[in-house]
Amino acid sequence: MHATTACHAEVPHAGTGRAQRARGFSLVELVVVISLLGILAVGSVTFFGYTLDGYGRSGTRADLAASSMTALARMASELEGALPNSVRVADGCVEFVPVRAVSRYVSIPRTTASASMTLEAPDDSGTAPADARVAVNPDSAEHLYDLASGVVSPVARFGAPDGDGVITANFASVHAFAEESPQERVFLVDDPVSYCIVGTQLFRYSDYGFSTLQPAVADLPASTPGRALLVTHVDDRVSAFTAASGALTRNATVELRVALASDGDAVDAVRMVHLRHVP
């Protein structure tokens, strides 16, 4: 009789591995992942927000800096050519007399008023402006802004140079100069110009004439063409003009400070201008 041995082999359940592989995330894991993604999103938005804000602010500062430097360059260019001793500063304004040409006179009405004088044609162009005032020995602002003092002439028209390069200045009315120049120097000038800080704006004023006292803003032209806007966004608490008189060892100077502010950004630009002060 043969014995029969029964063999039993364990057969793995067909669905066990598939079920383990298909198991999803638990609710806790989902909450953790969502929280982390939220933190990353907030951080990214904040980072890009600061980046864009910084870019915008840098653009604003660049615009303010460009505007302030342009304004200073314009003012400095004119002031460097101002008539000696004509610059005066008060109440947020700087005033000066622009020089159009410099020459030497040949004859000058000194003791007796005359309707004309003669001078050498200016070296830079060979001819004089069509019309201008003539200034001789402008020793102080007090004298040159007072047309009755004899430092600055009435408006004159200039003829063509003769064979010796001499031109005649014909005054609108008779005039006698108060003093002669030690170097026989003569300046051909325009009427005064002012730059004034008015609130948050900087204006250039012209075509208002000579006055013994420096005019206030209320006395200057209120519209074009006598008033021209130079720059806006001026911080009048910081912006200022300061003049220092000349001496034997140094030129007269004007410090121009123009501070601009916009949307929380600000720039403060300063320029020192050396003036011609030998009359």
Side-chain angles (χ1 to χ4, degrees), residues 8-202:
H8 298 280
E10 289 190 14
V11 179
H13 193 280
T16 302
R18 190 180 302 114
Q20 289 178 343
R21 290 194 298 271
R23 187 177 69 85
F25 296 104
S26 67
L27 181 59
V28 174
E29 291 174 326
L30 286 174
V31 171
V32 170
V33 170
I34 292 172
S35 299
L36 291 174
L37 290 175
I39 293 171
L40 290 175
V42 171
S44 299
V45 169
T46 303
F47 172 76
F48 285 113
Y50 283 140
T51 301
L52 293 175
D53 182 65
Y55 178 79
R57 293 172 71 89
S58 65
T60 300
R61 286 192 294 271
D63 290 342
L64 293 175
S67 296
S68 62
M69 295 307 295
T70 299
L72 288 177
R74 170 70 183 275
M75 298 171 65
S77 176
E78 287 200 273
L79 281 165
E80 287 170 350
L83 182 67
N85 301 312
S86 69
V87 176
R88 52 185 184 179
V89 174
D91 300 327
C93 293
V94 55
E95 185 182 32
F96 60 95
V97 176
V99 173
R100 299 178 64 180
V102 181
S103 185
R104 296 182 183 278
Y105 58 78
V106 177
S107 65
I108 178 175
R110 172 66 178 81
T111 56
T112 302
S114 173
S116 65
M117 66 178 293
T118 56
L119 59 146
E120 299 174 358
D123 294 335
D124 55 352
S125 63
T127 59
D131 56 72
R133 296 180 185 271
V134 180
V136 176
N137 197 33
D139 58 350
S140 70
E142 178 184 2
H143 292 153
L144 69 90
Y145 278 100
D146 181 5
L147 294 182
S149 68
V151 175
V152 178
S153 77
V155 175
R157 298 192 64 84
F158 301 88
D162 63 16
D164 297 323
V166 175
I167 59 177
T168 300
N170 297 296
F171 302 129
S173 58
V174 295
H175 179 74
F177 288 97
E179 296 181 4
E180 295 191 31
S181 166
Q183 302 297 323
E184 299 179 345
R185 185 178 290 112
V186 61
F187 299 91
L188 308 185
V189 302
D190 286 326
D191 280 4
V193 167
S194 288
Y195 284 96
C196 294
I197 299 167
V198 184
T200 60
Q201 298 175 312
L202 174 61

Side-chain angles (χ1 to χ4, degrees), residues 204-208 221-229:
R204 180 186 185 274
Y205 296 90
S206 60
D207 303 325
Y208 57 86
S223 60
T224 57
R227 186 182 76 166
L229 178 62

Side-chain angles (χ1 to χ4, degrees), residues 243-262:
S245 58
L248 293 176
T249 56
R250 62 174 175 82
N251 282 19
T253 60
V254 174
E255 181 184 273
L256 307 174
R257 179 181 295 272
V258 176
L260 305 184
S262 177

Side-chain angles (χ1 to χ4, degrees), residues 262-278:
S262 177
D263 297 329
D265 288 308
V267 296
D268 186 359
V270 179
R271 183 158 179 170
M272 186 71 71
V273 182
H274 292 265
L275 306 174
R276 174 168 41 191
H277 71 284
V278 178

